[in-house]
Amino acid sequence: MIKYRSAVLLATSVLLIATLGCGAKDKRPEGFPKLYPITVQINNNGQPFSGAGVRFETNDGAQYSIVGTTDEMGKAVLETAMGSYFAAGCPLGTFKVTINKFDREELDKLVEQQKNLPPQVEDLKLAAKITQLEDNMKPLVPKKLLRADTTPIDVTVDESSTEFTFDVNEYK
């Protein structure tokens, strides 16, 4: 009886692993483009600009987003997203580049203060101040870099272009 249970358990385990393995295959959505590895270096006055959001935007109504966030060295590895599916890389094409980063220091302090309140305490003045700060965060990049219709940065991604460097100070 023990051998039978062990055999059933083993067979069930193998079947479960095989099923999960098949489910883990690439589930790219229909229309998801072929991607190429792209890194972007963002600087500010020649120094790495960490925590900046980078977006490559198409003007052809594509159903995907191309985004990245710079690390402490100012480098962002772009990812393309379609719905909840993300994959590293960027499709070929011409894009408008937007860069954003906001001064969150005061906001982060207030959010931390709010987190430290006991669960039963609701500070409406603090919540209102947080909302006001969120609505009026000061950009740390020139405003024209925040939107695709105002950014002066255009790039063309082809099979040979894998790295781009921008200094936000050049766009003041």
Side-chain angles (χ1 to χ4, degrees), residues 11 16 45 54 66 71 87 108 138 167:
L16 181 60
N45 288 319
V54 181
I66 306 156
D71 62 15
D108 289 342
K138 177 185 170 208
D167 193 308

Side-chain angles (χ1 to χ4, degrees), residues 157-171:
V157 174
D158 58 34
E159 292 179 10
S160 64
S161 55
T162 60
E163 294 183 20
F164 297 93
T165 300
F166 308 104
D167 193 308
V168 296
N169 191 53
E170 292 178 17
Y171 301 98

Side-chain angles (χ1 to χ4, degrees), residues 18-19 45 47 81 86 91 107 111 114 140 144 149 154-155:
T19 303
N45 288 319
Q47 298 301 309
F86 279 80
L107 177 64
V111 168
Q114 187 179 45
L140 297 175
K144 61 184 164 188
D149 63 343
D154 290 299
V155 297

Side-chain angles (χ1 to χ4, degrees), residues 114-130:
Q114 187 179 45
K115 285 181 188 175
N116 291 329
L117 292 174
Q120 66 276 13
V121 175
E122 184 176 359
D123 187 336
L124 295 178
K125 287 182 180 179
L126 180 60
K129 188 160 184 163
I130 288 171

Side-chain angles (χ1 to χ4, degrees), residues 123-137:
D123 187 336
L124 295 178
K125 287 182 180 179
L126 180 60
K129 188 160 184 163
I130 288 171
T131 300
Q132 180 184 15
L133 282 173
E134 286 174 333
D135 292 342
N136 297 306
M137 279 194 294

